Amino acid sequence: MNFPDQPLLPRTAGGDLRRVGVEIEFGALPLKDAAQIVQRLFGGQIREAERFYWQVEETKYGTFSLELDSQYAHGEGKLPEGAAEEGLDPLVAKLQQNTREVIGEISKVVVPNEITCPPVPYTALGEIDELTGALAAAGAEDTKGSPFYAFGLQLNPEVAEEGADYILNHLRAFCLLRDWLRAEIDVDRLRQFLPFADPFQPDYVKRILDPAYAPDLPELIEDYLAANPTRNRELDMLPLFAYLDEPRVSRRIGDALVKARPTFHYRLPDSRLGQHPAPVTREWRRWLAVEHLAGDEKNLRALARRYLRETPPPESWAKICAAFIEKGEAA
């Protein structure tokens, strides 16, 4: 398979090398041990904010956050500054803390630990691969470690531009390639069943693929919010849209977990820490197929026309897209 190895647009509009944030889910390895691995590879200082939330600060790239990926297991240590529980009776506060710890202990069986890496230049993603390898060598388990695991490896590629055409073309390219991506990744069955990375609904896909659809940025965001009022999409656009128009997103989406940032939030890949020497780079190159199609107006339009004309089943469309990626030309 001929995967791209470089983005079409390697720099932001400001001229900086584009960066990628990576979120790594895993099980079996304690957060403290994972924090020590991060420190060994990237330097910095380890801080235990609370029992299920650690940070490695002042590394070469910034702060790595490590946590049990369940909001119910966290307390004040993870709340924004000024949002701590104030005015509680000491006994009530202690009961709340103990409840969180019990939930955290139970959750460790099936809820992943997660490392949220600071954004790194895309040219440095090999260093994050070294982290995944070190985690696996220390005993961390990935998606295939248990039938009950549904762990993901999420990428947050920084956008090169912020205009409606650029964003829409990436949405179109992703929707056209999603069946191929799912087949290529061989997404874990439990992750397909659970609502962590749901596909876009057919009506929305058809709407954005229509060549007559040419929204400005407010309309693009409004249409997306109306059709996708959730973070749980295989390509979650809420962080980018909140960055571009936070009041509009806040009015429609009452989710405190939406974090505004100038990135695509690509949630589809499985966490496969020990099954490939470079799992992060592999998923980055798959993502780059989306970026290359988004920048190829001729083939983007040709594939969209064919999809709208035929509306083929996912397996057939995945093969059509595989042939396109191999040849670089839409049939």
Side-chain angles (χ1 to χ4, degrees), residues 7 9-22 119-122 125 155-162 166 170 240 243 261-266 284 287-288 291:
L9 298 174
R11 295 188 178 274
T12 66
D16 297 321
L17 200 64
R18 288 173 62 200
R19 299 177 299 168
V20 183
V22 182
V120 305
Y122 76 86
L125 286 173
L155 302 182
N156 295 277
E158 187 174 19
V159 297
E161 300 176 5
E162 297 177 2
Y166 171 87
H170 280 74
L240 176 57
Y243 172 81
R261 52 185 184 259
T263 69
F264 299 109
H265 186 31
Y266 178 41
W284 167 243
W287 165 258
L288 287 181
E291 294 203 5

Side-chain angles (χ1 to χ4, degrees), residues 186 198-199 231 331:
D186 188 20
D198 285 344
R231 295 184 304 119

Side-chain angles (χ1 to χ4, degrees), residues 162-168 213-224 240-241 243-245 248:
E162 297 177 2
D165 289 345
Y166 171 87
I167 296 170
L168 175 58
Y213 184 63
D216 60 14
L217 189 59
E219 183 182 358
L220 177 64
I221 295 174
E222 196 66 37
D223 290 346
Y224 181 90
L240 176 57
F241 288 155
Y243 172 81
L244 295 171
D245 192 343
R248 186 182 303 273

Side-chain angles (χ1 to χ4, degrees), residues 292-306:
H292 277 250
L293 178 57
D296 182 351
E297 193 74 23
K298 176 185 174 183
N299 281 311
L300 183 65
R301 289 183 177 276
L303 279 174
R305 283 195 302 269
R306 181 169 181 180

